[in-house]
Amino acid sequence: MDSTVAGFFGRRGAGKTLSMTAFAFSFLYSPICLKCNVSMRIRQDRGTAVREVKPGDDCPECESTLVCNRQLGWSCVANYGVKFADRYEANLADYISNFPEQIKKTVLLVDEQAAVTHSYRAMSSLNMLFALFVEQLRKRQVHFMYTSQNPNRVDRNVFWQTDVAFACNSSAKGHSVKLEAYDQWGGWLDNYSQATWPPDRDPDRTLYLGRADRFWGMYDTEEIVLPTEWSKQK
């Protein structure tokens, strides 16, 4: 897909930001075979062996050189301190409202989406402009990922665009995260579902982020994400 909107939901400490950061890193740096048209993630699922391949290696199937999305021109923009991000924007709503040309072939990461586009501000100009941007992600090739403790607090126009929702549940020490995935619109499963939360059905798929401590140092775990109102007051 040219664009995807993914939401990571759960209580405090559920592993939402950790999972989002890991998914973004995997998309940007996992080896890809352009000839086979396949992304060779480190591990396909919990039961398979770890793949010892990296960009620059030969494809195990066709022997062509593996690349990654970074090498194909993809960038990363975030509203929190991600070590591999190309741009940090604390006041993301204001930045996006200008429809910047730089946001193209981009992974857009938003921590605490309610701080950026809260449902209470549904009629504000920044909320509406942000929602309009999300509606047209396909035209810019943008993958948008966001977190929220309660997606019902997120502007409905943004939540309505969510393709896949993950209910996150971290292990006691945070070394792994269980993610229950819901195809919100049947884009992959053709199940004619609609974006609701909490879902009234079993998860469409259950994923596990193992060895999650690998990603602890890739972002600032103590950063406070300030609301749009705070930036406007400044």
Short mmCIF file of all heavy atoms in Angstrom, two decimals, residues 102-155:
data_model
loop_
_atom_site.label_atom_id
_atom_site.label_comp_id
_atom_site.label_asym_id
_atom_site.label_seq_id
_atom_site.Cartn_x
_atom_site.Cartn_y
_atom_site.Cartn_z
N GLN A 102 8.09 18.51 2.35
CA GLN A 102 9.08 17.55 2.84
C GLN A 102 8.45 16.23 3.29
O GLN A 102 9.13 15.21 3.36
CB GLN A 102 9.86 18.15 4.02
CG GLN A 102 10.68 19.37 3.67
CD GLN A 102 9.90 20.66 3.83
OE1 GLN A 102 8.67 20.67 3.73
NE2 GLN A 102 10.60 21.75 4.07
N ILE A 103 7.16 16.27 3.61
CA ILE A 103 6.48 15.04 4.04
C ILE A 103 6.06 14.25 2.80
O ILE A 103 4.95 14.36 2.28
CB ILE A 103 5.23 15.35 4.91
CG1 ILE A 103 5.63 16.18 6.11
CG2 ILE A 103 4.58 14.06 5.38
CD1 ILE A 103 6.47 15.47 7.13
N LYS A 104 7.01 13.48 2.29
CA LYS A 104 6.78 12.65 1.11
C LYS A 104 7.68 11.43 1.24
O LYS A 104 8.85 11.54 1.62
CB LYS A 104 7.12 13.44 -0.15
CG LYS A 104 6.76 12.74 -1.44
CD LYS A 104 7.06 13.66 -2.64
CE LYS A 104 6.18 14.89 -2.63
NZ LYS A 104 6.39 15.74 -3.84
N LYS A 105 7.13 10.23 0.98
CA LYS A 105 7.84 8.98 1.26
C LYS A 105 8.36 9.03 2.70
O LYS A 105 9.55 8.95 2.95
CB LYS A 105 8.97 8.75 0.26
CG LYS A 105 8.51 8.44 -1.15
CD LYS A 105 9.65 8.00 -2.04
CE LYS A 105 10.09 6.58 -1.71
NZ LYS A 105 11.10 6.06 -2.68
N THR A 106 7.42 9.20 3.62
CA THR A 106 7.77 9.46 5.01
C THR A 106 7.00 8.53 5.96
O THR A 106 5.84 8.23 5.73
CB THR A 106 7.45 10.92 5.37
OG1 THR A 106 8.23 11.79 4.56
CG2 THR A 106 7.74 11.21 6.84
N VAL A 107 7.67 8.11 7.02
CA VAL A 107 7.02 7.46 8.15
C VAL A 107 6.77 8.54 9.18
O VAL A 107 7.73 9.12 9.72
CB VAL A 107 7.89 6.33 8.73
CG1 VAL A 107 7.19 5.70 9.93
CG2 VAL A 107 8.18 5.28 7.68
N LEU A 108 5.51 8.85 9.45
CA LEU A 108 5.12 9.90 10.38
C LEU A 108 4.72 9.27 11.71
O LEU A 108 3.76 8.51 11.77
CB LEU A 108 3.97 10.71 9.79
CG LEU A 108 3.42 11.87 10.62
CD1 LEU A 108 4.50 12.92 10.86
CD2 LEU A 108 2.21 12.49 9.92
N LEU A 109 5.45 9.59 12.78
CA LEU A 109 5.22 8.99 14.09
C LEU A 109 4.68 10.04 15.05
O LEU A 109 5.31 11.08 15.25
CB LEU A 109 6.52 8.41 14.65
CG LEU A 109 7.26 7.38 13.77
CD1 LEU A 109 8.53 6.92 14.47
CD2 LEU A 109 6.36 6.20 13.44
N VAL A 110 3.52 9.75 15.65
CA VAL A 110 2.89 10.69 16.57
C VAL A 110 2.62 9.97 17.89
O VAL A 110 1.79 9.06 17.95
CB VAL A 110 1.58 11.27 16.00
CG1 VAL A 110 0.97 12.24 17.00
CG2 VAL A 110 1.84 11.96 14.68
N ASP A 111 3.32 10.40 18.93
CA ASP A 111 3.07 9.86 20.26
C ASP A 111 1.98 10.70 20.92
O ASP A 111 1.96 11.93 20.78
CB ASP A 111 4.35 9.91 21.08
CG ASP A 111 4.29 9.03 22.32
OD1 ASP A 111 3.46 8.11 22.35
OD2 ASP A 111 5.08 9.26 23.25
N GLU A 112 1.07 10.05 21.65
CA GLU A 112 -0.04 10.73 22.34
C GLU A 112 -0.86 11.58 21.35
O GLU A 112 -0.89 12.80 21.44
CB GLU A 112 0.49 11.59 23.49
CG GLU A 112 1.32 10.85 24.52
CD GLU A 112 0.53 9.82 25.32
OE1 GLU A 112 -0.72 9.78 25.20
OE2 GLU A 112 1.16 9.04 26.06
N GLN A 113 -1.50 10.91 20.43
CA GLN A 113 -2.26 11.60 19.38
C GLN A 113 -3.30 12.56 19.94
O GLN A 113 -3.58 13.61 19.36
CB GLN A 113 -2.94 10.58 18.47
CG GLN A 113 -3.76 11.16 17.32
CD GLN A 113 -2.90 11.86 16.29
OE1 GLN A 113 -1.83 11.39 15.95
NE2 GLN A 113 -3.38 12.97 15.76
N ALA A 114 -3.87 12.24 21.09
CA ALA A 114 -4.89 13.11 21.68
C ALA A 114 -4.31 14.47 22.05
O ALA A 114 -5.04 15.47 22.10
CB ALA A 114 -5.50 12.45 22.91
N ALA A 115 -3.01 14.54 22.31
CA ALA A 115 -2.38 15.82 22.60
C ALA A 115 -2.26 16.67 21.35
O ALA A 115 -2.17 17.89 21.42
CB ALA A 115 -0.99 15.61 23.21
N VAL A 116 -2.30 16.04 20.20
CA VAL A 116 -2.17 16.75 18.92
C VAL A 116 -3.54 17.10 18.35
O VAL A 116 -3.79 18.25 17.96
CB VAL A 116 -1.37 15.89 17.90
CG1 VAL A 116 -1.23 16.62 16.56
CG2 VAL A 116 0.01 15.57 18.47
N THR A 117 -4.44 16.12 18.29
CA THR A 117 -5.79 16.35 17.76
C THR A 117 -6.81 15.70 18.70
O THR A 117 -7.31 14.62 18.43
CB THR A 117 -5.96 15.77 16.34
OG1 THR A 117 -5.63 14.36 16.37
CG2 THR A 117 -5.06 16.48 15.35
N HIS A 118 -7.09 16.36 19.80
CA HIS A 118 -8.05 15.83 20.78
C HIS A 118 -9.47 15.93 20.22
O HIS A 118 -9.80 16.85 19.47
CB HIS A 118 -7.94 16.61 22.08
CG HIS A 118 -8.50 15.88 23.27
ND1 HIS A 118 -9.86 15.65 23.43
CD2 HIS A 118 -7.88 15.34 24.34
CE1 HIS A 118 -10.04 14.99 24.56
NE2 HIS A 118 -8.87 14.78 25.14
N SER A 119 -10.31 14.98 20.61
CA SER A 119 -11.70 14.99 20.14
C SER A 119 -12.45 16.23 20.62
O SER A 119 -13.41 16.67 19.98
CB SER A 119 -12.42 13.73 20.63
OG SER A 119 -12.40 13.64 22.05
N TYR A 120 -12.03 16.82 21.75
CA TYR A 120 -12.69 18.03 22.25
C TYR A 120 -12.49 19.22 21.31
O TYR A 120 -13.26 20.17 21.33
CB TYR A 120 -12.14 18.41 23.63
CG TYR A 120 -12.55 17.47 24.74
CD1 TYR A 120 -11.93 17.54 26.00
CD2 TYR A 120 -13.54 16.50 24.56
CE1 TYR A 120 -12.29 16.67 27.02
CE2 TYR A 120 -13.89 15.64 25.58
CZ TYR A 120 -13.27 15.72 26.80
OH TYR A 120 -13.62 14.86 27.81
N ARG A 121 -11.43 19.16 20.47
CA ARG A 121 -11.14 20.25 19.55
C ARG A 121 -11.53 19.90 18.12
O ARG A 121 -10.91 20.36 17.16
CB ARG A 121 -9.65 20.59 19.58
CG ARG A 121 -9.11 20.97 20.94
CD ARG A 121 -7.71 21.58 20.82
NE ARG A 121 -6.79 20.71 20.10
CZ ARG A 121 -5.99 19.83 20.68
NH1 ARG A 121 -6.01 19.69 21.99
NH2 ARG A 121 -5.17 19.09 19.96
N ALA A 122 -12.54 19.08 17.95
CA ALA A 122 -12.89 18.55 16.63
C ALA A 122 -13.14 19.62 15.59
O ALA A 122 -12.91 19.41 14.39
CB ALA A 122 -14.11 17.63 16.74
N MET A 123 -13.63 20.79 16.00
CA MET A 123 -13.97 21.84 15.04
C MET A 123 -12.86 22.88 14.90
O MET A 123 -13.03 23.87 14.19
CB MET A 123 -15.27 22.53 15.45
CG MET A 123 -16.48 21.61 15.44
SD MET A 123 -16.71 20.79 13.84
CE MET A 123 -17.10 22.20 12.81
N SER A 124 -11.72 22.68 15.56
CA SER A 124 -10.64 23.65 15.43
C SER A 124 -10.00 23.55 14.05
O SER A 124 -10.02 22.49 13.41
CB SER A 124 -9.58 23.41 16.51
OG SER A 124 -8.81 22.26 16.21
N SER A 125 -9.42 24.63 13.59
CA SER A 125 -8.83 24.65 12.25
C SER A 125 -7.65 23.69 12.15
O SER A 125 -7.48 23.01 11.13
CB SER A 125 -8.39 26.07 11.88
OG SER A 125 -7.44 26.56 12.82
N LEU A 126 -6.82 23.59 13.21
CA LEU A 126 -5.67 22.69 13.17
C LEU A 126 -6.12 21.23 13.11
O LEU A 126 -5.52 20.42 12.39
CB LEU A 126 -4.77 22.92 14.38
CG LEU A 126 -3.92 24.19 14.37
CD1 LEU A 126 -3.09 24.29 15.63
CD2 LEU A 126 -3.01 24.23 13.14
N ASN A 127 -7.16 20.87 13.86
CA ASN A 127 -7.69 19.51 13.78
C ASN A 127 -8.17 19.18 12.38
O ASN A 127 -7.89 18.12 11.82
CB ASN A 127 -8.84 19.33 14.77
CG ASN A 127 -8.37 18.91 16.15
OD1 ASN A 127 -7.33 19.36 16.62
ND2 ASN A 127 -9.13 18.05 16.80
N MET A 128 -8.92 20.10 11.80
CA MET A 128 -9.48 19.85 10.47
C MET A 128 -8.38 19.76 9.42
O MET A 128 -8.42 18.90 8.53
CB MET A 128 -10.48 20.94 10.11
CG MET A 128 -11.78 20.85 10.90
SD MET A 128 -13.08 21.95 10.29
CE MET A 128 -12.46 23.54 10.86
N LEU A 129 -7.36 20.61 9.51
CA LEU A 129 -6.26 20.55 8.54
C LEU A 129 -5.46 19.27 8.70
O LEU A 129 -5.04 18.66 7.71
CB LEU A 129 -5.37 21.78 8.71
CG LEU A 129 -5.96 23.10 8.22
CD1 LEU A 129 -5.10 24.27 8.70
CD2 LEU A 129 -6.08 23.11 6.70
N PHE A 130 -5.24 18.84 9.96
CA PHE A 130 -4.51 17.59 10.20
C PHE A 130 -5.30 16.42 9.62
O PHE A 130 -4.74 15.54 8.95
CB PHE A 130 -4.29 17.39 11.69
CG PHE A 130 -3.32 16.29 12.03
CD1 PHE A 130 -2.00 16.57 12.30
CD2 PHE A 130 -3.73 14.96 12.06
CE1 PHE A 130 -1.10 15.56 12.60
CE2 PHE A 130 -2.84 13.94 12.35
CZ PHE A 130 -1.52 14.25 12.63
N ALA A 131 -6.62 16.40 9.86
CA ALA A 131 -7.46 15.32 9.34
C ALA A 131 -7.46 15.30 7.82
O ALA A 131 -7.42 14.22 7.20
CB ALA A 131 -8.88 15.46 9.87
N LEU A 132 -7.48 16.46 7.19
CA LEU A 132 -7.44 16.53 5.73
C LEU A 132 -6.12 16.01 5.19
O LEU A 132 -6.08 15.35 4.14
CB LEU A 132 -7.66 17.97 5.26
CG LEU A 132 -9.10 18.50 5.36
CD1 LEU A 132 -9.13 20.00 5.10
CD2 LEU A 132 -10.01 17.77 4.36
N PHE A 133 -5.04 16.28 5.90
CA PHE A 133 -3.74 15.75 5.50
C PHE A 133 -3.74 14.23 5.56
O PHE A 133 -3.27 13.56 4.64
CB PHE A 133 -2.64 16.32 6.40
CG PHE A 133 -1.27 15.82 6.06
CD1 PHE A 133 -0.51 16.43 5.07
CD2 PHE A 133 -0.72 14.73 6.73
CE1 PHE A 133 0.76 15.97 4.75
CE2 PHE A 133 0.54 14.27 6.41
CZ PHE A 133 1.29 14.88 5.42
N VAL A 134 -4.29 13.67 6.66
CA VAL A 134 -4.32 12.22 6.82
C VAL A 134 -5.18 11.58 5.73
O VAL A 134 -4.86 10.50 5.21
CB VAL A 134 -4.84 11.85 8.22
CG1 VAL A 134 -5.02 10.34 8.36
CG2 VAL A 134 -3.89 12.35 9.29
N GLU A 135 -6.27 12.23 5.36
CA GLU A 135 -7.14 11.70 4.30
C GLU A 135 -6.41 11.55 2.97
O GLU A 135 -6.79 10.73 2.13
CB GLU A 135 -8.35 12.62 4.10
CG GLU A 135 -9.36 12.56 5.23
CD GLU A 135 -10.50 13.53 5.02
OE1 GLU A 135 -10.57 14.12 3.90
OE2 GLU A 135 -11.29 13.74 5.94
N GLN A 136 -5.36 12.35 2.77
CA GLN A 136 -4.67 12.36 1.48
C GLN A 136 -3.24 11.82 1.57
O GLN A 136 -2.40 12.13 0.72
CB GLN A 136 -4.63 13.80 0.94
CG GLN A 136 -6.03 14.39 0.76
CD GLN A 136 -6.00 15.81 0.25
OE1 GLN A 136 -5.69 16.06 -0.91
NE2 GLN A 136 -6.30 16.76 1.15
N LEU A 137 -2.98 10.97 2.55
CA LEU A 137 -1.64 10.41 2.72
C LEU A 137 -1.16 9.67 1.49
O LEU A 137 0.03 9.67 1.16
CB LEU A 137 -1.63 9.45 3.92
CG LEU A 137 -1.82 10.04 5.32
CD1 LEU A 137 -1.81 8.93 6.35
CD2 LEU A 137 -0.74 11.06 5.63
N ARG A 138 -2.08 9.01 0.79
CA ARG A 138 -1.71 8.21 -0.38
C ARG A 138 -0.99 9.04 -1.43
O ARG A 138 -0.08 8.55 -2.11
CB ARG A 138 -2.98 7.59 -0.98
CG ARG A 138 -2.75 6.78 -2.25
CD ARG A 138 -4.06 6.30 -2.83
NE ARG A 138 -4.94 7.42 -3.14
CZ ARG A 138 -4.84 8.15 -4.25
NH1 ARG A 138 -3.89 7.89 -5.13
NH2 ARG A 138 -5.69 9.14 -4.48
N LYS A 139 -1.37 10.31 -1.55
CA LYS A 139 -0.78 11.17 -2.58
C LYS A 139 0.66 11.53 -2.27
O LYS A 139 1.40 11.99 -3.15
CB LYS A 139 -1.61 12.44 -2.73
CG LYS A 139 -3.05 12.15 -3.15
CD LYS A 139 -3.88 13.42 -3.17
CE LYS A 139 -5.33 13.11 -3.55
NZ LYS A 139 -6.18 14.33 -3.54
N ARG A 140 1.05 11.36 -1.00
CA ARG A 140 2.42 11.69 -0.59
C ARG A 140 3.24 10.45 -0.22
O ARG A 140 4.39 10.57 0.16
CB ARG A 140 2.38 12.64 0.61
CG ARG A 140 1.78 14.01 0.33
CD ARG A 140 2.76 14.90 -0.41
NE ARG A 140 2.27 16.26 -0.53
CZ ARG A 140 2.50 17.21 0.38
NH1 ARG A 140 3.17 16.94 1.48
NH2 ARG A 140 2.03 18.43 0.18
N GLN A 141 2.64 9.27 -0.29
CA GLN A 141 3.28 8.04 0.17
C GLN A 141 3.76 8.20 1.62
O GLN A 141 4.96 8.23 1.92
CB GLN A 141 4.47 7.67 -0.73
CG GLN A 141 4.07 7.08 -2.07
CD GLN A 141 5.27 6.59 -2.85
OE1 GLN A 141 5.98 7.37 -3.46
NE2 GLN A 141 5.52 5.29 -2.80
N VAL A 142 2.80 8.31 2.52
CA VAL A 142 3.09 8.48 3.94
C VAL A 142 2.47 7.34 4.74
O VAL A 142 1.29 7.04 4.58
CB VAL A 142 2.55 9.83 4.47
CG1 VAL A 142 2.75 9.95 5.98
CG2 VAL A 142 3.22 11.00 3.75
N HIS A 143 3.28 6.73 5.58
CA HIS A 143 2.77 5.76 6.55
C HIS A 143 2.69 6.49 7.90
O HIS A 143 3.69 6.96 8.42
CB HIS A 143 3.69 4.55 6.65
CG HIS A 143 3.70 3.71 5.42
ND1 HIS A 143 2.56 3.19 4.86
CD2 HIS A 143 4.73 3.28 4.62
CE1 HIS A 143 2.87 2.48 3.78
NE2 HIS A 143 4.17 2.53 3.62
N PHE A 144 1.49 6.57 8.43
CA PHE A 144 1.22 7.33 9.65
C PHE A 144 0.93 6.38 10.80
O PHE A 144 0.03 5.55 10.71
CB PHE A 144 0.04 8.28 9.38
CG PHE A 144 -0.53 8.96 10.59
CD1 PHE A 144 0.29 9.44 11.60
CD2 PHE A 144 -1.90 9.13 10.72
CE1 PHE A 144 -0.25 10.07 12.72
CE2 PHE A 144 -2.45 9.77 11.82
CZ PHE A 144 -1.62 10.23 12.83
N MET A 145 1.72 6.47 11.86
CA MET A 145 1.52 5.66 13.06
C MET A 145 1.34 6.58 14.26
O MET A 145 2.03 7.59 14.37
CB MET A 145 2.72 4.73 13.30
CG MET A 145 3.09 3.85 12.12
SD MET A 145 4.50 2.78 12.51
CE MET A 145 4.94 2.21 10.86
N TYR A 146 0.42 6.21 15.15
CA TYR A 146 0.17 7.04 16.32
C TYR A 146 -0.19 6.19 17.52
O TYR A 146 -0.59 5.03 17.38
CB TYR A 146 -0.92 8.08 16.04
CG TYR A 146 -2.32 7.52 15.88
CD1 TYR A 146 -3.18 7.43 16.97
CD2 TYR A 146 -2.79 7.07 14.64
CE1 TYR A 146 -4.47 6.92 16.83
CE2 TYR A 146 -4.07 6.57 14.49
CZ TYR A 146 -4.91 6.49 15.59
OH TYR A 146 -6.18 5.99 15.45
N THR A 147 -0.06 6.78 18.72
CA THR A 147 -0.43 6.09 19.95
C THR A 147 -1.51 6.87 20.68
O THR A 147 -1.64 8.08 20.52
CB THR A 147 0.77 5.93 20.91
OG1 THR A 147 1.11 7.20 21.47
CG2 THR A 147 1.97 5.34 20.21
N SER A 148 -2.28 6.15 21.48
CA SER A 148 -3.28 6.79 22.33
C SER A 148 -3.69 5.82 23.42
O SER A 148 -3.88 4.63 23.16
CB SER A 148 -4.51 7.21 21.52
OG SER A 148 -5.49 7.80 22.36
N GLN A 149 -3.81 6.32 24.65
CA GLN A 149 -4.32 5.47 25.72
C GLN A 149 -5.78 5.12 25.49
O GLN A 149 -6.21 4.00 25.77
CB GLN A 149 -4.15 6.17 27.07
CG GLN A 149 -2.71 6.35 27.49
CD GLN A 149 -2.58 6.91 28.88
OE1 GLN A 149 -3.42 6.67 29.75
NE2 GLN A 149 -1.52 7.67 29.12
N ASN A 150 -6.54 6.07 24.96
CA ASN A 150 -7.95 5.85 24.67
C ASN A 150 -8.27 6.49 23.32
O ASN A 150 -8.37 7.71 23.22
CB ASN A 150 -8.82 6.48 25.77
CG ASN A 150 -10.30 6.28 25.53
OD1 ASN A 150 -10.71 5.67 24.53
ND2 ASN A 150 -11.13 6.79 26.42
N PRO A 151 -8.42 5.69 22.26
CA PRO A 151 -8.66 6.25 20.94
C PRO A 151 -9.95 7.05 20.82
O PRO A 151 -10.11 7.84 19.89
CB PRO A 151 -8.69 5.02 20.01
CG PRO A 151 -8.97 3.87 20.93
CD PRO A 151 -8.34 4.22 22.23
N ASN A 152 -10.86 6.87 21.78
CA ASN A 152 -12.09 7.67 21.75
C ASN A 152 -11.82 9.13 22.07
O ASN A 152 -12.70 9.98 21.87
CB ASN A 152 -13.11 7.09 22.74
CG ASN A 152 -13.60 5.72 22.30
OD1 ASN A 152 -13.91 5.49 21.14
ND2 ASN A 152 -13.66 4.78 23.24
N ARG A 153 -10.62 9.45 22.58
CA ARG A 153 -10.24 10.83 22.85
C ARG A 153 -9.56 11.47 21.64
O ARG A 153 -9.26 12.66 21.66
CB ARG A 153 -9.31 10.88 24.07
CG ARG A 153 -9.97 10.42 25.36
CD ARG A 153 -8.98 10.35 26.50
NE ARG A 153 -8.38 11.65 26.78
CZ ARG A 153 -7.07 11.88 26.81
NH1 ARG A 153 -6.22 10.91 26.56
NH2 ARG A 153 -6.62 13.08 27.09
N VAL A 154 -9.30 10.67 20.61
CA VAL A 154 -8.67 11.16 19.39
C VAL A 154 -9.75 11.70 18.46
O VAL A 154 -10.85 11.14 18.38
CB VAL A 154 -7.88 10.04 18.70
CG1 VAL A 154 -7.34 10.48 17.34
CG2 VAL A 154 -6.74 9.56 19.59
N ASP A 155 -9.45 12.80 17.77
CA ASP A 155 -10.38 13.35 16.79
C ASP A 155 -10.95 12.23 15.93
O ASP A 155 -10.20 11.44 15.34
CB ASP A 155 -9.65 14.38 15.92
CG ASP A 155 -10.60 15.15 15.01
OD1 ASP A 155 -11.41 14.50 14.32
OD2 ASP A 155 -10.52 16.39 14.99
#
